[in-house]
Amino acid sequence: MNALALRFDFDELTIPVLGRNDSGLLLYGFAELSGDREGFSVETVHLAEGTVLRRAGNRECGRPAAFADELFRRIAAVIENDRTVLGRHAAMEWAELVERHGEPA
């Protein structure tokens, strides 16, 4: 089976800080998911105002991008975790894509 890809829209994504899901930081946008029948991973995150975060290479002009890299990791962790609300939604959308892809044309 070829690799699959899916655009997963999210709103009000909350990032846990020190184990708490405070509502002070809510993110909006979409993530590009890719994978196969076994599962998916987040490849890129597009925030609502146009910022694009990548799994690696969030540097501009050779400057360190520690914050952007960590932000990507935390957003991906929420979407890839089927114990979070958004993670369950992403898993359901992925399962639907896999099912559709497996049907004969």
Side-chain angles (χ1 to χ4, degrees):
M1 175 191 257
N2 294 334
L4 301 173
L6 175 71
R7 174 184 164 140
F8 176 70
D9 295 300
F10 60 84
D11 60 355
E12 296 189 5
L13 184 144
T14 304
I15 295 176
V17 177
L18 299 177
R20 297 180 51 148
N21 284 328
D22 295 328
S23 61
L25 177 63
L26 300 176
L27 300 170
Y28 300 82
F30 70 92
E32 294 178 358
L33 312 180
S34 69
D36 56 23
R37 284 184 150 326
E38 301 301 315
F40 67 87
S41 62
V42 175
E43 295 302 315
T44 60
V45 172
H46 299 256
L47 298 178
E49 296 298 319
T51 299
V52 178
L53 301 172
R54 292 172 179 74
R55 182 167 296 282
N58 287 305
R59 298 172 197 217
E60 186 176 314
C61 301
R63 296 182 183 153
F67 178 78
D69 291 344
E70 182 64 20
L71 185 57
F72 174 89
R73 281 191 291 279
R74 288 183 180 241
I75 292 169
V78 171
I79 295 170
E80 293 171 352
N81 182 350
D82 64 4
R83 291 186 222 158
T84 67
V85 172
L86 284 174
R88 282 191 294 276
H89 287 287
M92 288 186 328
E93 287 187 30
W94 188 259
E96 290 172 8
L97 175 69
V98 167
E99 185 177 319
R100 282 192 315 269
H101 190 73
E103 294 175 356

